[in-house]
Structure formats: structure tokens, C-alpha cells
Amino acid sequence: MPPEKTTQKARSDSARASLLKAGRALFGRDGFISTAVNDISAAAGMSKSGLLHHFPSKAALFEAVFEEEEMRLVARVAAEAGGAPNARERMRQGARALLDALNDAMSRQIVLIDGPAVLGWAVWRRIEGDHGIALIEATLREAQAEGSLARLPGSAFSRMFLSALHEGAFSIIEDETQRPAVEIMLDQMIEGLFDRG
């Protein structure tokens, strides 16, 4: 690639990263509806037209922020659960790590509150499938390879388990004393899956 193209790409990548960072901060703090495009562009140090050059709309920027947040959450969960001795325990530790991560106000606003409402069901479901669901299904395949799960349960279980995690996070946000009960219910889902083989 010619040097001028490399420099132009680096500038474009840097501008995009600045917009994603500013978008996450403002969407996470104020929510999608209350965040203005002008505020995001100013926080990123560029004009509104500069923002619209990279993202055609506020919703398009939010989608990119949402997907980046999903990747961030999956990376955190994988890192925190990665040292567990087996897939069953990785699922247990991963569930707890996601509950912790969703206790962060910014992640909660982007992923749980605005994500489904702003993106719509089809886009939200696709992105969840590419990240959170993919991690659950990978862990289940690891369990099968280890011999602790005789057959895979299908994608319905992964979606139901992630939905239970999201609802559990909401319950804990509303009343943190619910955390032990939420963990027990999630453990029962995991144990029920493995017990059936």
C-alpha cells in the first residue's frame, strides 16, 4: 500500500476509534435518545460532518458501539472464566463474570436497555449470536469434547441461558440481595443441562 494510503487509513482508523470511544461514553452515560450527534462529534474532537463521514447516522454509530461492547464483555467473561478446570465450571464462572460486567452502568445502558430498543430484534439478535451466544456454544462444544456433555442442546439453550443472564442482571440491579438466588437459578440451569448428558 502506498505511504499516503497507509497514512490516510491510519487517520481514518484513529477517527473511527475516537468516535466509538466518545459514543460509548455518552450513550453509556445518557442513553441513546438523550445523546446528540453534535455532542458525540465534539467529544471526539471533530465536526458533525466528520462523524457522518464514518457513520451515516447516530443509529449506525450506536450499532458499532453496541457490537464493540459485546466484544468487550465476551473478552472479559472468557478471561475471567478461562482458568476454570472444565467447561461446566467455565460456564458457572462465566455467568458470574457477566453478572459483574453488567453491573457497570455504561454496559447496562448500552447492552440491556438501549440495545434491543435501538437496533431492533433482528439486528440485536444477530449481534448477540455472533458474540455472547457464540461463546456459550463454544463452551458447550468444549464440554462435549471433554466428555461431560453427551450431546449438544442446540441453539435454543444458549439463547435461553443468555436471556436468563440478562434477566438475572436486571434483578440484581433492582435489588442486589437477589444475587445469591440468581446464581443458584443459573447453576441449576447448568447442572440440569449436564445431568441430562
Side-chain angles (χ1 to χ4, degrees), residues 14 41-42 72 77 122 126 137 170 176 185:
S14 176
S41 58
R72 182 181 288 111
V77 168
R126 174 184 56 76
E137 292 183 344
F170 275 127
E176 63 185 30
M185 286 184 278

Side-chain angles (χ1 to χ4, degrees), residues 98-100 102-105 107-117 124 162-179 182 186:
L98 185 60
L99 292 177
D100 291 340
L102 291 173
N103 196 41
D104 173 73
S107 287
R108 179 169 65 241
Q109 182 69 43
I110 293 166
V111 173
L112 295 182
I113 298 171
D114 282 337
W124 174 75
L162 186 59
S163 295
L165 280 163
H166 288 169
E167 287 301 321
F170 275 127
S171 296
I172 294 165
I173 291 158
E174 291 166 358
D175 178 4
E176 63 185 30
T177 67
Q178 291 298 306
R179 175 80 185 239
V182 168
L186 291 168

